[in-house]
Structures are given as structure tokens and as C-alpha cells.
């Protein structure tokens, strides 16, 4: 295919984090020395995989091969394929793999919800039929059969996400916190390797303004911010232990740390449950109508 006919979509090019300058230079040297060995993946004339190789070949006027992926039906298929490709690559960082797995979960959840809505609309327009056996309308069951099932492929649990991203459940928890609450400057520090996942997750519990202020001071200030948060959590526990040793602990002083832990646990469970509610809400509405 003529390079001028290939369409590069910014949303796909930016979907995966770019190579570092060093990685890009190494790839360019390899292509200049050995040519472009791997074919670029296209969907029609849209470039799906091989953006860096395409850019280098186009820059130097080098030839390249292309291959069509005919299994794509829509852009969601493209995104899911890209995610699976990059989840299996060794060069992708732990944080990147976690974010990719979270993106996959979001896409699948949206697909399942859309399938149920479409099935409900189809069932409402269908002529009267004899009652079916079982609890689920066969139209709905058929629609859901076309999308990944729960829990293995839908990544509904933290453990499933960890398996998909080749991480531990604790790492996934940290990445979820960063993905949901971290300021862009903190995320950039994680991507660059200046800040660990654990430290970034701790910093992400701070107000956004405090996160940005710490990030402005560089990686060392971010690490100090994480240390201050950790120390702040340890101090009440140490004070409570000292008070108990003096025999002066009262009901309120001993209950406060327990209440804080419970609130944190409740917040985690509510977030987990909310994701599940979004996926099954349409099914619950359908069953309510049938009842």
C-alpha cells in the first residue's frame, strides 16, 4: 500500500504510551540496518499496529509490508486487540499493563450493557411467543453470548485483572488508585520510573493541589510527600499504643482507628460493587419487568 494512503488516527497512536527517545533511536537503528521485518497491521486503510515502524520507514523512504486484520468489526475490536497485544509485550511497564487491563474491563462492561439494552429492545418488538423455560429470555442470553463472559474475560475482580496484567492484586489496587485519583504530574512520574507504584498510590490520596505542588518539587519531593502520608498514618497508631500502656485509653480513643479502617474498607467495597452494578443493572431491570 502507498504510504500516503495509510491513515494514522491520533486516538490509536496515543492509545499506547510512546517509546522513550532511547527506545525509538534503537528501533530506528535496527530498521536502517535490517529493514522493517514485521508487517504493519491495518484495518482497511487505518494503521492499527506499527506506528513507530511506519513513521521511521516513511521518514527514510524505506519499504514495509502490511497485513489486513479482517476480524475487526468496530473500533472497540481494534482497542481490545491492541490491549491484548501490548499486555503480552515485555517492554510494557507494570503501570502500563495495569492501565491497559482497566481499559479492557471498561470496554467489556460497556459491551455487555449495550448487548442487554439491544436485547431488551429486540424482545419488546418481537411478536408474542410462548413462555420460555428458565429465568432468562433467550434473546438476552443470545446477545450476552456474543460478548466475553464473567468473570474470566470480563475482569470483574481485582484478581482477574492481576492475572490479565501479570501483576499482583496489591499492584492492581495501587494502579486503580493512581488511575482514579492521581494528578497528571504524578502519573507522569510513575511512567518515567521516578516514582514507584506504592509511593504514587499513597500520594494519590492527597488533594490534587497538594499532589501538583509536590510534583513541582521533583521526584524527591514526591517521595517525601508519600513518606509524610505514611508517617501520618503510623503516628495515631503509635499514640494509641502508648496510651493503652499508660492505662489511660478510653472508649473513644480506641474506637477511632478501627472506625477509620472500616471506612476505608467500606469505600473499597463500594467502588468494587459499583462496577458490578453497572454491568448487571440492565439485567435486573429486565427480570423486574418479567416478574
Amino acid at each position: 500500500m502507498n504510504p500516503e494512503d495509510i491513515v494514522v488516527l491520533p486516538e490509536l497512536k496515543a492509545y499506547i504510551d510512546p517509546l522513550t527517545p532511547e527506545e525509538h533511536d534503537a528501533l530506528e537503528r535496527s530498521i536502517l540496518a535490517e529493514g522493517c521485518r514485521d508487517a504493519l497491521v491495518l484495518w482497511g486503510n487505518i494503521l492499527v499496529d506499527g506506528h513507530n515502524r511506519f513513521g521511521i520507514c516513511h521518514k527514510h523512504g524505506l519499504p514495509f509490508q502490511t497485513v489486513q486484520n479482517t476480524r475487526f468489526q468496530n473500533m472497540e475490536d481494534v482497542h481490545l486487540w491492541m490491549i491484548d497485544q501490548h499486555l503480552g509485550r515485555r517492554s510494557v511497564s507494570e503501570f502500563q499493563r495495569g492501565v491497559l487491563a482497566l481499559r479492557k474491563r471498561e470496554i467489556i462492561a460497556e459491551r455487555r450493557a449495550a448487548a442487554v439494552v439491544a436485547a431488551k429492545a429486540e424482545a419488546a418488538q418481537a411478536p408474542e411467543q410462548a413462555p420460555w423455560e428458565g429465568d432468562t429470555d433467550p434473546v438476552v442470553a443470545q446477545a450476552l453470548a456474543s460478548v466475553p463472559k464473567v468473570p474470566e474475560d470480563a475482569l470483574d475482580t481485582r484478581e482477574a485483572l492481576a492475572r490479565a496484567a501479570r501483576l499482583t492484586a496489591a499492584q492492581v489496587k495501587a494502579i486503580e488508585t493512581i488511575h482514579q485519583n492521581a494528578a497528571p504530574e504524578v502519573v507522569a512520574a510513575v511512567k518515567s520510573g521516578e516514582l514507584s507504584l506504592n509511593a504514587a498510590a499513597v500520594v494519590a490520596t492527597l488533594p490534587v493541589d497538594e499532589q501538583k505542588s509536590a510534583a513541582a518539587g521533583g521526584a524527591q519531593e514526591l517521595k517525601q510527600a508519600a513518606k509524610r502520608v505514611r508517617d501520618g498514618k503510623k503516628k495515631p497508631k503509635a499514640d494509641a499504643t502508648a496510651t493503652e500502656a499508660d492505662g489511660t485509653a478510653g472508649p473513644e480513643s480506641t474506637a477511632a482507628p478501627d472506625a477509620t479502617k472500616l471506612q476505608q474498607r467500606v469505600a473499597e467495597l463500594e467502588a468494587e460493587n459499583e462496577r458490578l452494578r453497572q454491568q448487571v443493572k440492565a439485567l435486573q431491570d429486565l427480570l423486574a419487568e418479567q416478574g
Side-chain angles (χ1 to χ4, degrees):
M1 177 178 287
N2 190 320
E4 304 302 327
D5 295 331
I6 293 179
V7 176
V8 177
L9 297 180
E11 67 171 284
L12 294 185
K13 187 175 182 179
Y15 199 73
I16 305 299
D17 287 345
L19 299 175
T20 64
E22 294 78 12
E23 291 169 337
H24 190 276
D25 289 345
L27 177 62
E28 186 169 25
R29 288 195 299 270
S30 174
I31 290 176
L32 288 173
E34 304 175 14
C36 187
R37 294 176 295 179
D38 298 322
L40 311 182
V41 179
L42 302 177
W43 178 38
N45 61 345
I46 296 175
L47 180 60
V48 173
D49 187 60
H51 289 84
N52 292 299
R53 284 172 279 141
F54 174 71
I56 293 170
C57 290
H58 193 41
K59 172 184 174 182
H60 296 284
L62 298 174
F64 55 84
Q65 300 295 319
T66 64
V67 60
Q68 286 285 340
N69 191 319
T70 57
R71 292 176 296 174
F72 298 146
Q73 299 297 316
N74 48 50
M75 192 57 69
E76 284 184 350
D77 286 346
V78 174
H79 287 175
L80 288 172
W81 184 87
M82 291 178 70
I83 289 172
D84 287 339
Q85 291 295 306
H86 284 78
L87 281 176
R89 290 176 178 169
R90 289 176 296 178
S91 60
V92 178
S93 70
E94 293 176 345
F95 178 71
Q96 289 174 315
R97 293 202 304 272
V99 170
L100 288 170
L102 290 173
R103 287 178 180 172
K104 183 174 182 178
R105 180 177 67 186
E106 292 168 1
I107 293 172
I108 293 174
E110 291 170 359
R111 279 193 164 187
R112 291 182 62 80
V116 172
V117 171
K120 287 175 65 175
E122 184 176 347
Q125 296 175 1
E128 287 293 330
Q129 297 180 354
W132 55 84
E133 295 182 2
D135 298 327
T136 305
D137 186 335
V139 175
V140 175
Q142 183 177 359
L144 290 179
S146 66
V147 294
K149 298 179 182 296
V150 196
E152 293 82 6
D153 296 332
L155 308 183
D156 285 328
T157 66
R158 190 169 286 151
E159 289 72 19
L161 280 168
R163 287 193 298 271
R166 292 180 288 117
L167 302 170
T168 65
Q171 288 174 315
V172 170
K173 181 180 178 181
I175 292 170
E176 284 180 314
T177 300
I178 298 166
H179 188 57
Q180 294 168 3
N181 304 317
E185 294 85 350
V186 176
V187 174
V190 176
K191 289 182 176 180
S192 66
E194 295 178 341
L195 197 62
S196 69
L197 288 177
N198 289 337
V202 173
V203 173
T205 63
L206 294 170
V208 173
D209 289 344
E210 292 186 32
Q211 295 183 45
K212 292 183 176 181
S213 177
Q220 203 58 38
E221 180 57 32
L222 281 170
K223 294 175 184 177
Q224 288 299 318
K227 186 176 185 301
R228 288 193 294 270
V229 174
R230 290 191 182 108
D231 290 344
K233 291 180 179 179
K234 292 177 182 178
K235 187 175 180 180
K237 183 177 180 180
D239 290 345
T241 302
T243 304
E244 289 175 4
D246 293 339
T248 58
E252 292 182 0
S253 62
T254 56
D258 291 338
T260 301
K261 290 180 181 178
L262 285 172
Q263 289 173 350
Q264 292 175 344
R265 182 56 180 160
V266 167
E268 291 177 3
L269 291 173
E270 286 179 346
E272 191 83 16
N273 288 336
E274 181 58 28
R275 288 193 293 269
L276 295 174
R277 288 194 199 101
Q278 292 175 359
Q279 294 184 27
V280 302
K281 185 177 183 301
L283 280 174
Q284 290 173 333
D285 292 342
L286 179 61
L287 292 175
E289 291 175 6
Q290 295 172 357

